[in-house]
Amino acid sequence: MSDQPKRHQEETPDRTGPGKRLEKRPGPAQDPEQARKRREKRIMAVMVALAVVMVIAASLAMLYRRWVKRPELPGPGPDASVSLPPDASAEPTLDIDAIEPKVGGERRSKAIYTILIFGSDTTSGLTDTMMVATYDVANQKAAVMSLPRDTLINVRRWNKSLNAVYSAYKDPDQGVEALKSEVSELVGFTPDYYVQIDWELVGEMVEAIGGVWFDNPYHMEYYDPYQDLNIYQEQGYRKLDGSDAMQIVRWRHNNKNVPYNPGVSTAYAASDLERLNVQHAFLKAVLKQTLQIGNITRIGQLIELFNSRVESDLAVENMLWFGQEAVLGGLKVDDVEFFTMPCLGAGPKGSRYYGRVYPNQKELLGLINEKLNPFVEEVTIKQLDLIRVSKDGNTLSSSTGKLADPGAGIPPAVDTPEPTEPPVESDPIASGPVESGAVDPDPAESGPIDSPPPSAPAEPDPPATQGPEEPADWGDTAD
């Protein structure tokens, strides 16, 4: 009995080695012809697989080139050393007075692009949002300057606000060119491209990226059945959907007696500059969410949105290229700087240009050359046409020394009040100083005064915050 386990162990195959089913058995012998055919079949299979991979790669490359394409920069700008005075005898095609050529020539980098972004109000047709953006793709830095819609510009029209330029032309292409030209008078260079946004895009993008967390600084409450506009946004931090986003970007003021900053102010409307700050903060929140790499999977949806909501001289593939560079290049929200054009309030309440603003020249020039200018040549006062308003808010002057509307430089006529009692007769030679309340018998000649055009209709918005008085020095404008 004691020998059986031993014999069993000796007869049991070695379990550590391969089993019989795993042992490689020699196949049937093949003649050289069969072996050759078998090798050819293997090579054919590999070639077919490679061809499929190449077709797929080529298709992806074609789709990539179709969906993503780097935009070409426009040609060099005008020669700044050549002065091009306007022909006074000719009526320009557009309402534009070119005083000096803008900066151009050599760029600081071929990876720097400038874009004019604007959107129009659906009810009034006025351009309620205008921004100049400069994007340095190589260094992943961007600067965006908002232009207040009530900025005064040097034009002949009675409505001298920047937001009326685009809508003044029936042809949208002319409107775009006019707006780009007027913006170039404020920044010293012509933006490379433009993007006109239908603001419905903001809400739809917010929906597409799954909402946006935003700290709303003001209580917003406005109901306008004429515009079918209903806005109610509570103050504070919360996640916003597309409808919330549209209400925030369209908010301009509350209904009367509804303070926008409860507990701090009883005013029902923020200034235009405060509203721009809200828009900047909200756009940064949207940008932060959009730049997440997971949104690359939504490229098809974004293409549809841009096709339906954006007019531009950039192709959709170009815009997607910018998006790709921003996401894959690591652009962060902190790398995008938003600011508003430095400006001053235009006169006291009741004056002709009350509620309008005009550029603060010295601060503006510094920001342009430091943040926005894509060219090696620096912008000077010679490339700008800046309006300045007198202290009383009734007359304008231009940094060029020339007003497109000369009547804007003449104070409005002041009606002399009717005297309640007839003036006291006196000898004009022997009379002394004119008594208070009496009529000056020999008023000084002031020359003919042209009747100014009617002022723009009063808008419900309050004026922008009044800044310090601008220095009288306009800079060196001599040739």
Side-chain angles (χ1 to χ4, degrees):
M1 296 291 293
S2 61
D3 296 338
Q4 289 181 356
K6 185 177 180 179
R7 286 197 303 271
H8 179 74
Q9 186 176 2
E10 291 174 352
E11 294 172 359
T12 302
D14 185 5
R15 298 292 182 183
T16 60
K20 290 183 179 180
R21 289 179 296 176
L22 299 178
E23 292 178 0
K24 187 175 182 181
R25 298 179 181 179
Q30 294 181 345
D31 58 36
E33 183 65 20
Q34 289 177 328
R36 183 183 64 79
K37 290 182 178 180
R38 189 169 183 178
R39 286 195 303 271
E40 288 180 352
K41 287 181 179 179
R42 289 176 179 173
I43 293 171
M44 184 62 68
V46 172
M47 291 179 67
V48 170
L50 287 174
V52 170
V53 171
M54 291 175 67
V55 169
I56 293 174
S59 300
L60 290 175
M62 290 179 65
L63 287 173
Y64 179 84
R65 284 196 296 267
R66 178 184 174 186
W67 283 356
V68 181
K69 184 178 180 181
R70 179 171 183 155
E72 295 182 3
L73 285 169
D79 183 358
S81 64
V82 179
S83 178
L84 301 174
D87 183 359
S89 63
E91 182 72 11
T93 304
L94 302 178
D95 190 9
I96 299 166
D97 290 312
I99 305 300
E100 293 282 351
K102 307 308 170 191
V103 295
E106 183 183 356
R107 286 181 175 259
R108 292 189 285 118
S109 167
K110 292 183 178 180
I112 298 179
Y113 297 83
T114 60
I115 304 172
L116 170 63
I117 305 168
F118 69 97
S120 298
D121 181 74
T122 55
T123 303
S124 66
L126 298 175
T127 311
D128 57 0
T129 300
M130 292 161 286
M131 297 179 285
V132 177
T134 297
Y135 180 22
D136 185 346
V137 178
N139 295 309
Q140 290 301 322
K141 296 285 185 182
V144 183
M145 182 173 76
S146 288
L147 303 170
R149 57 194 177 88
D150 291 323
T151 301
L152 287 165
I153 55 175
N154 193 6
V155 292
R156 289 186 290 273
R157 296 186 305 273
W158 66 268
N159 190 339
K160 303 184 188 306
S161 294
L162 184 63
N163 67 342
V165 173
Y166 174 76
S167 60
Y169 298 88
K170 294 181 180 179
D171 182 351
D173 291 337
Q174 283 193 334
V176 169
E177 289 304 311
L179 183 57
K180 287 177 69 174
S181 181
E182 290 299 344
V183 167
S184 76
E185 302 287 3
L186 297 173
V187 299
F189 61 88
T190 303
D192 299 325
Y193 304 102
Y194 81 91
V195 174
Q196 181 181 5
I197 295 176
D198 177 348
W199 284 112
E200 294 293 333
L201 173 68
V202 177
E204 293 175 1
M205 276 195 67
V206 168
E207 288 289 337
I209 61 180
V212 171
W213 287 93
F214 180 63
D215 189 4
N216 184 23
Y218 305 127
H219 175 78
M220 302 176 179
E221 188 171 347
Y222 180 75
Y223 307 103
D224 184 353
Y226 175 71
Q227 299 185 63
D228 191 24
L229 183 60
N230 298 305
I231 296 175
Y232 185 88
Q233 293 295 316
E234 294 181 355
Q235 188 175 10
Y237 184 72
R238 69 185 193 283
K239 192 173 186 179
L240 307 179
D241 60 19
S243 175
D244 297 325
M246 286 304 302
Q247 291 181 39
I248 284 178
V249 298
R250 294 192 67 185
W251 180 78
R252 295 170 67 184
H253 58 83
N254 287 348
N255 292 113
K256 289 187 176 180
N257 302 321
V258 179
Y260 75 94
N261 205 353
V264 178
S265 172
T266 58
Y268 70 94
S271 71
D272 190 36
L273 302 184
E274 288 175 306
R275 289 195 299 273
L276 287 176
N277 290 336
V278 173
Q279 288 187 354
H280 292 167
F282 180 73
L283 288 175
K284 292 189 80 167
V286 174
L287 183 63
K288 181 178 181 179
Q289 178 71 18
T290 305
L291 288 177
Q292 295 181 5
I293 198 165
N295 285 316
I296 291 182
T297 60
R298 297 183 171 96
I299 188 170
Q301 188 174 359
L302 293 175
I303 288 174
E304 292 180 5
L305 287 179
F306 279 102
N307 275 331
S308 62
R309 298 297 187 189
V310 171
E311 293 289 337
S312 176
D313 49 1
L314 283 168
V316 175
E317 308 94 88
N318 301 145
M319 297 183 196
L320 292 175
W321 181 82
F322 282 125
Q324 169 196 267
E325 293 299 307
V327 174
L328 300 183
L331 181 68
K332 299 179 179 62
V333 174
D334 292 340
D335 298 325
V336 182
E337 185 176 359
F338 286 89
F339 53 93
T340 300
M341 181 189 76
C343 56
L344 303 168
K349 190 171 184 178
S351 61
R352 181 190 286 182
Y353 298 106
Y354 173 72
R356 304 296 185 259
V357 298
Y358 61 100
N360 184 322
Q361 171 200 327
K362 291 187 177 179
E363 290 186 21
L364 177 59
L365 274 175
L367 281 175
I368 290 172
N369 288 313
E370 181 182 353
K371 307 288 187 181
L372 299 173
N373 183 13
F375 298 100
V376 173
E377 177 191 355
E378 285 205 348
V379 175
T380 68
I381 188 64
K382 291 185 177 182
Q383 279 82 36
L384 306 181
D385 187 355
L386 305 181
I387 285 294
R388 184 171 184 263
V389 184
S390 60
K391 289 184 178 181
D392 62 9
N394 289 320
T395 58
L396 305 180
S397 57
S398 168
S399 60
T400 65
K402 176 183 176 183
L403 285 174
D405 176 14
I410 301 174
V414 179
D415 294 331
T416 303
E418 293 290 335
T420 55
E421 297 180 0
V424 178
E425 294 185 1
S426 61
D427 183 354
I429 298 176
S431 63
V434 179
E435 296 180 3
S436 175
V439 177
D440 187 350
D442 188 19
E445 264 187 39
S446 60
I449 297 178
D450 296 333
S451 298
S455 301
E459 296 185 9
D461 298 327
T465 305
Q466 177 84 18
E469 178 64 18
E470 184 182 11
D473 182 17
W474 278 105
D476 180 14
T477 59
D479 293 334

